[in-house]
Amino acid sequence: MIIKWLGHSAFQIITNYNLKILIDPFISNNPTSPLTAEELNADLILVTHGHQDHFGDTMEIANRTGALIIANHETSIFLSKQGLNTQGMNIGGSMDVQDIEVTMVNANHSSGLDFMDETADGGIACGYILKLENGRKIYHSGDTGIFGDMKMVIRDIYQPNIVLLPIGDLYTMGIEEAAIAADWISPEVLIPMHYNTFPLIEQNPLEFAEMVESLNPNINVVIMEPGEFYEE
Ligand code: NI
Ligand code: MN
């Protein structure tokens, strides 16, 4: 399985059985993206919320590839009206997609569909837990502030092994909150995201890694450059 960072909160996950998953494919307008949207293939696209830096190229990629788009109920209704292959979910629900299980979890953020000329109700923002065919669990938090259920629900119930958290501050947690959230969840691997895409969310990931190390030295903070990947 590989988890490739496409910059910002965009990731490509390819499972051992070659299921191609994109999360928040913000590519064309992403100044840090290592590739173009046309180069991406997907079987499944997960959207955490409607903001353009997450929804990004979802429609174009889905149109071209026929990928299934999972999003919150309201965004999914909007996508189905555009003729796309989509399944709406809501917080706490799970569904199987081939040999993985996708669970939608809470995020503390908004979800306006601000990328469209027409306005549509974007529902609420979410995160996702992916349970792979080998039992490994990946948590992509989407944009969020820190919230207590990272302890009570994310850790105690789902126990993800690999966690992707925003550290850019301003729109999401900053490095202090994200380090505490990391300690609360206590994954094996922590990959920071949503930073250094734009000047407003500049952060030093090494400083974040030091904070995590001092709180919980068992967590392996994996800092990547866009285009690099984590593999196991
Ligand atoms: Ni957002
Ligand atoms: Mn964002």
Side-chain angles (χ1 to χ4, degrees):
M1 178 268 292
I2 71 158
I3 302 175
K4 186 176 191 176
W5 192 32
L6 306 179
H8 207 56
S9 296
F11 288 87
Q12 180 183 49
I13 298 171
I14 302 177
T15 71
N16 293 333
Y17 292 153
N18 205 32
L19 184 70
K20 297 181 191 67
I21 305 162
L22 289 174
I23 308 180
D24 286 353
F26 168 58
I27 308 297
S28 298
N29 295 319
N30 176 352
T32 62
S33 176
L35 37 71
T36 65
E38 294 72 35
E39 292 172 278
L40 282 169
N41 280 316
D43 303 303
L44 174 65
I45 301 174
L46 304 177
V47 177
T48 64
H49 62 295
H51 296 162
Q52 59 87 22
D53 61 316
H54 297 260
F55 191 86
D57 299 283
T58 293
M59 291 173 63
E60 294 85 341
I61 295 169
N63 245 325
R64 178 169 47 78
T65 62
L68 172 67
I69 306 167
I70 290 181
N72 69 39
H73 173 69
E74 290 77 10
T75 302
S76 181
I77 286 176
F78 172 80
L79 291 167
S80 66
K81 285 180 183 165
Q82 316 302 312
L84 293 164
N85 178 21
T86 178
Q87 176 62 54
M89 293 183 66
N90 223 319
I91 307 298
S94 299
M95 76 174 275
D96 292 333
V97 180
Q98 295 188 28
D99 40 23
I100 71 160
E101 182 183 46
V102 179
T103 301
M104 183 175 277
V105 295
N106 202 22
N108 254 357
H109 197 68
S110 57
S111 182
L113 287 166
D114 59 10
F115 56 93
M116 277 284 145
D117 297 336
E118 55 184 296
T119 52
D121 178 4
I124 60 170
C126 70
Y128 291 100
I129 308 267
L130 305 185
K131 186 178 179 189
L132 304 183
E133 74 291 331
N134 59 6
R136 299 287 283 174
K137 289 183 193 163
I138 302 167
Y139 168 47
H140 185 299
S141 73
D143 279 359
T144 188
I146 190 169
F147 55 95
D149 280 353
M150 285 180 169
K151 244 182 188 171
M152 301 289 288
V153 176
I154 303 296
R155 181 192 63 190
D156 287 356
I157 297 178
Y158 298 111
Q159 302 178 326
N161 309 96
I162 301 162
V163 168
L164 320 177
L165 291 180
I167 64 166
D169 216 336
L170 193 64
Y171 305 108
T172 67
M173 296 185 281
I175 56 175
E176 293 90 352
E177 295 89 349
I180 294 166
D183 180 38
W184 283 358
I185 304 168
S186 289
E188 294 160 39
V189 173
L190 193 296
I191 300 172
M193 63 179 180
H194 210 272
Y195 69 97
N196 292 354
T197 323
F198 311 106
L200 283 170
I201 54 170
E202 258 171 36
Q203 290 294 343
N204 180 353
L206 297 172
E207 202 180 323
F208 169 69
E210 277 171 25
M211 285 179 181
V212 174
E213 168 77 21
S214 70
L215 286 173
N216 190 333
N218 295 321
I219 300 172
N220 176 23
V221 177
V222 175
I223 296 169
M224 292 192 275
E225 292 294 324
E228 292 182 343
F229 58 87
Y230 167 81
E231 183 170 21
E232 65 175 42

Short mmCIF file of all heavy atoms in Angstrom, two decimals, residues 24-49:
data_model
loop_
_atom_site.label_atom_id
_atom_site.label_comp_id
_atom_site.label_asym_id
_atom_site.label_seq_id
_atom_site.Cartn_x
_atom_site.Cartn_y
_atom_site.Cartn_z
N ASP A 24 -9.60 14.30 -1.43
CA ASP A 24 -9.52 15.76 -1.63
C ASP A 24 -8.57 16.16 -2.77
O ASP A 24 -7.58 16.87 -2.54
CB ASP A 24 -9.11 16.45 -0.32
CG ASP A 24 -10.24 16.49 0.70
OD1 ASP A 24 -11.37 16.10 0.37
OD2 ASP A 24 -9.99 16.92 1.84
N PRO A 25 -8.90 15.74 -4.01
CA PRO A 25 -7.97 15.96 -5.13
C PRO A 25 -7.95 17.40 -5.65
O PRO A 25 -8.51 17.71 -6.70
CB PRO A 25 -8.48 14.99 -6.19
CG PRO A 25 -9.95 14.90 -5.93
CD PRO A 25 -10.10 14.98 -4.43
N PHE A 26 -7.32 18.24 -4.90
CA PHE A 26 -7.10 19.65 -5.26
C PHE A 26 -5.76 19.70 -6.00
O PHE A 26 -4.70 19.66 -5.38
CB PHE A 26 -7.08 20.48 -3.97
CG PHE A 26 -6.60 21.90 -4.11
CD1 PHE A 26 -7.20 22.80 -4.97
CD2 PHE A 26 -5.55 22.35 -3.31
CE1 PHE A 26 -6.76 24.12 -5.05
CE2 PHE A 26 -5.11 23.66 -3.38
CZ PHE A 26 -5.72 24.55 -4.25
N ILE A 27 -5.83 19.73 -7.33
CA ILE A 27 -4.63 19.55 -8.15
C ILE A 27 -4.36 20.78 -9.04
O ILE A 27 -3.30 21.40 -8.96
CB ILE A 27 -4.78 18.30 -9.06
CG1 ILE A 27 -5.17 17.06 -8.23
CG2 ILE A 27 -3.50 18.06 -9.85
CD1 ILE A 27 -4.18 16.62 -7.20
N SER A 28 -5.33 21.16 -9.89
CA SER A 28 -5.08 22.18 -10.91
C SER A 28 -4.67 23.53 -10.32
O SER A 28 -3.76 24.17 -10.83
CB SER A 28 -6.34 22.38 -11.76
OG SER A 28 -6.66 21.20 -12.44
N ASN A 29 -5.33 23.95 -9.26
CA ASN A 29 -5.02 25.25 -8.66
C ASN A 29 -4.12 25.13 -7.44
O ASN A 29 -3.96 26.08 -6.68
CB ASN A 29 -6.31 25.97 -8.29
CG ASN A 29 -7.13 26.32 -9.52
OD1 ASN A 29 -6.59 26.74 -10.54
ND2 ASN A 29 -8.43 26.11 -9.45
N ASN A 30 -3.54 23.96 -7.27
CA ASN A 30 -2.67 23.70 -6.13
C ASN A 30 -1.22 23.98 -6.53
O ASN A 30 -0.65 23.23 -7.33
CB ASN A 30 -2.85 22.24 -5.71
CG ASN A 30 -1.92 21.82 -4.60
OD1 ASN A 30 -1.02 22.56 -4.20
ND2 ASN A 30 -2.11 20.62 -4.11
N PRO A 31 -0.63 25.06 -6.03
CA PRO A 31 0.72 25.42 -6.47
C PRO A 31 1.79 24.39 -6.10
O PRO A 31 2.89 24.43 -6.66
CB PRO A 31 0.98 26.76 -5.77
CG PRO A 31 0.01 26.82 -4.64
CD PRO A 31 -1.18 26.00 -5.04
N THR A 32 1.47 23.46 -5.20
CA THR A 32 2.46 22.46 -4.79
C THR A 32 2.21 21.09 -5.42
O THR A 32 2.94 20.13 -5.12
CB THR A 32 2.48 22.30 -3.26
OG1 THR A 32 1.20 21.84 -2.82
CG2 THR A 32 2.80 23.61 -2.57
N SER A 33 1.19 20.98 -6.25
CA SER A 33 0.89 19.65 -6.81
C SER A 33 2.02 19.17 -7.71
O SER A 33 2.48 19.90 -8.58
CB SER A 33 -0.42 19.70 -7.61
OG SER A 33 -0.64 18.43 -8.20
N PRO A 34 2.45 17.93 -7.53
CA PRO A 34 3.55 17.40 -8.33
C PRO A 34 3.11 16.92 -9.71
O PRO A 34 3.95 16.56 -10.53
CB PRO A 34 4.06 16.22 -7.50
CG PRO A 34 2.84 15.74 -6.78
CD PRO A 34 2.01 16.97 -6.49
N LEU A 35 1.81 16.87 -9.97
CA LEU A 35 1.36 16.38 -11.28
C LEU A 35 0.06 17.09 -11.69
O LEU A 35 -0.48 17.90 -10.94
CB LEU A 35 1.20 14.85 -11.27
CG LEU A 35 0.67 14.19 -10.00
CD1 LEU A 35 -0.80 14.49 -9.83
CD2 LEU A 35 0.90 12.70 -10.07
N THR A 36 -0.44 16.76 -12.86
CA THR A 36 -1.67 17.38 -13.34
C THR A 36 -2.85 16.45 -13.06
O THR A 36 -2.67 15.24 -12.88
CB THR A 36 -1.61 17.62 -14.86
OG1 THR A 36 -1.54 16.36 -15.52
CG2 THR A 36 -0.39 18.46 -15.23
N ALA A 37 -4.04 17.03 -13.06
CA ALA A 37 -5.23 16.22 -12.80
C ALA A 37 -5.40 15.14 -13.86
O ALA A 37 -5.87 14.03 -13.57
CB ALA A 37 -6.46 17.12 -12.75
N GLU A 38 -4.99 15.45 -15.10
CA GLU A 38 -5.15 14.49 -16.20
C GLU A 38 -4.32 13.23 -15.99
O GLU A 38 -4.61 12.18 -16.57
CB GLU A 38 -4.76 15.14 -17.54
CG GLU A 38 -5.65 16.27 -18.00
CD GLU A 38 -5.49 17.55 -17.19
OE1 GLU A 38 -4.35 17.85 -16.76
OE2 GLU A 38 -6.49 18.25 -16.95
N GLU A 39 -3.26 13.35 -15.19
CA GLU A 39 -2.39 12.19 -14.96
C GLU A 39 -2.93 11.23 -13.91
O GLU A 39 -2.37 10.17 -13.70
CB GLU A 39 -1.00 12.67 -14.50
CG GLU A 39 -0.23 13.41 -15.56
CD GLU A 39 1.05 14.01 -14.98
OE1 GLU A 39 0.99 15.10 -14.38
OE2 GLU A 39 2.11 13.38 -15.13
N LEU A 40 -4.01 11.64 -13.23
CA LEU A 40 -4.50 10.85 -12.11
C LEU A 40 -5.61 9.89 -12.52
O LEU A 40 -6.56 10.30 -13.19
CB LEU A 40 -5.03 11.76 -11.00
CG LEU A 40 -3.98 12.42 -10.13
CD1 LEU A 40 -4.61 13.49 -9.27
CD2 LEU A 40 -3.28 11.38 -9.26
N ASN A 41 -5.50 8.65 -12.08
CA ASN A 41 -6.57 7.68 -12.24
C ASN A 41 -7.15 7.37 -10.87
O ASN A 41 -6.45 7.45 -9.86
CB ASN A 41 -6.06 6.41 -12.89
CG ASN A 41 -5.94 6.60 -14.39
OD1 ASN A 41 -6.85 7.15 -15.01
ND2 ASN A 41 -4.82 6.18 -14.95
N ALA A 42 -8.42 7.03 -10.84
CA ALA A 42 -9.04 6.74 -9.56
C ALA A 42 -10.20 5.78 -9.74
O ALA A 42 -10.93 5.83 -10.74
CB ALA A 42 -9.53 8.02 -8.91
N ASP A 43 -10.36 4.89 -8.76
CA ASP A 43 -11.57 4.08 -8.65
C ASP A 43 -12.54 4.73 -7.68
O ASP A 43 -13.75 4.55 -7.79
CB ASP A 43 -11.22 2.68 -8.13
CG ASP A 43 -10.21 1.97 -9.00
OD1 ASP A 43 -10.50 1.81 -10.21
OD2 ASP A 43 -9.14 1.59 -8.50
N LEU A 44 -11.99 5.45 -6.71
CA LEU A 44 -12.77 6.02 -5.62
C LEU A 44 -12.20 7.38 -5.25
O LEU A 44 -10.98 7.53 -5.12
CB LEU A 44 -12.67 5.06 -4.40
CG LEU A 44 -13.29 5.50 -3.09
CD1 LEU A 44 -14.80 5.65 -3.23
CD2 LEU A 44 -12.94 4.48 -1.99
N ILE A 45 -13.08 8.36 -5.10
CA ILE A 45 -12.67 9.70 -4.67
C ILE A 45 -13.44 10.03 -3.39
O ILE A 45 -14.68 9.94 -3.37
CB ILE A 45 -12.96 10.77 -5.74
CG1 ILE A 45 -12.23 10.43 -7.05
CG2 ILE A 45 -12.55 12.16 -5.24
CD1 ILE A 45 -12.57 11.37 -8.21
N LEU A 46 -12.73 10.40 -2.35
CA LEU A 46 -13.35 10.80 -1.09
C LEU A 46 -13.22 12.31 -0.93
O LEU A 46 -12.11 12.85 -1.03
CB LEU A 46 -12.67 10.11 0.10
CG LEU A 46 -12.60 8.59 0.06
CD1 LEU A 46 -11.83 8.07 1.28
CD2 LEU A 46 -14.00 8.00 0.05
N VAL A 47 -14.33 12.97 -0.68
CA VAL A 47 -14.33 14.43 -0.52
C VAL A 47 -14.70 14.75 0.93
O VAL A 47 -15.75 14.30 1.42
CB VAL A 47 -15.35 15.08 -1.47
CG1 VAL A 47 -15.40 16.59 -1.26
CG2 VAL A 47 -15.01 14.76 -2.92
N THR A 48 -13.84 15.52 1.61
CA THR A 48 -14.12 15.82 3.02
C THR A 48 -15.07 17.00 3.20
O THR A 48 -15.78 17.07 4.19
CB THR A 48 -12.84 16.11 3.81
OG1 THR A 48 -12.22 17.31 3.30
CG2 THR A 48 -11.86 14.95 3.76
N HIS A 49 -15.04 17.95 2.24
CA HIS A 49 -15.96 19.09 2.30
C HIS A 49 -15.88 19.88 1.00
O HIS A 49 -15.03 19.61 0.15
CB HIS A 49 -15.71 19.97 3.53
CG HIS A 49 -14.36 20.63 3.61
ND1 HIS A 49 -13.18 19.95 3.75
CD2 HIS A 49 -14.02 21.96 3.59
CE1 HIS A 49 -12.18 20.81 3.81
NE2 HIS A 49 -12.65 22.04 3.70
#
